[in-house]
Amino acid sequence: LVSFDVSSSDPIVIARYVAGGLGTEDLVEYADSTLMEGAYSDYLVAILDETPKSWNTIAPLFELAVRDLGYPVPSFEDAIIQLVRYHLELIAAGTVEPLLELSVLWKDIKRFDLHKDVKHYVGDAIGVDVLYGLYFAVDDLEYSKRDGGIQEIKSEIVAESERWLKNH
């Protein structure tokens, strides 16, 4: 279940929905949180009123609600890029722990095939190949060099996030 900070995260919630990262309970929580924050849509109320709460009834209401609130519903590919940008902006800003944030990113885009359209390395189709390699490089560190190595990897993740944002 995802916890929502509705006021600042609507586009990210919508991107997570499109990317397949939310469940029925998340959409119900979103409707409740959005209404509690003061935004209104008849479709949000319909989500809360719907019983039983199944994906087949809640998901279409969610899409209608976000459009009613003035948000576009992106394509799957656009949602993936939006999620990558969001997480890399957090990393580049230094407001999050880089390895942890990458794990959240991989979870957010888990339905995107990072192996699809690969030219050389996993994730290169969307430019996250270096980040993917850095994330898994932690597993290859020798125990005696682990602490310094992890710090170096984190610094490289921040630098690579900045490069990705500059180039995409």
Side-chain angles (χ1 to χ4, degrees):
L1 203 59
V2 179
S3 181
F4 295 110
D5 172 13
V6 176
S7 58
S8 63
S9 66
D10 284 333
I12 298 307
V13 171
I14 297 163
R16 283 182 172 138
Y17 162 79
V18 171
L22 300 182
T24 304
E25 302 83 16
D26 297 312
L27 302 184
V28 171
E29 182 185 339
Y30 173 84
D32 185 52
S33 297
T34 302
L35 288 166
M36 295 299 284
E37 290 285 324
Y40 182 82
S41 168
D42 287 337
Y43 300 112
L44 293 174
V45 175
I47 289 171
L48 297 180
D49 289 345
E50 190 66 38
T51 15
K53 296 190 183 335
S54 71
W55 182 260
N56 292 339
T57 56
I58 300 297
L61 290 170
F62 174 79
E63 288 192 31
L64 291 168
V66 297
R67 284 188 174 109
D68 197 32
L69 294 171
Y71 296 103
V73 177
S75 68
F76 179 77
E77 291 76 17
D78 288 345
I80 296 301
I81 294 300
Q82 187 175 359
L83 290 167
V84 171
R85 178 174 307 285
Y86 169 73
H87 290 290
L88 298 188
E89 283 174 349
L90 292 175
I91 291 169
T95 58
V96 294
E97 199 288 316
L99 285 166
L100 180 59
E101 195 63 27
L102 279 184
S103 72
V104 175
L105 169 60
W106 305 143
K107 182 180 175 216
D108 271 354
I109 66 170
K110 69 181 174 218
R111 296 208 175 165
F112 178 80
D113 186 356
L114 287 171
H115 296 85
K116 183 180 176 195
D117 299 326
V118 167
K119 293 173 187 74
H120 302 286
Y121 301 104
V122 173
D124 66 8
I126 58 171
V128 297
D129 49 314
V130 174
L131 290 164
Y132 190 83
L134 287 167
Y135 180 77
F136 287 102
V138 171
D139 297 338
D140 296 333
L141 291 173
E142 292 179 32
Y143 185 76
S144 62
K145 299 177 182 176
R146 197 156 175 85
D147 290 341
I150 288 175
Q151 288 306 80
E152 186 177 332
I153 288 171
K154 287 179 182 181
S155 294
E156 280 300 313
I157 290 171
V158 171
E160 182 59 26
S161 295
E162 291 169 350
R163 277 190 289 278
W164 190 95
L165 291 166
K166 181 181 172 196
N167 295 323
H168 294 88

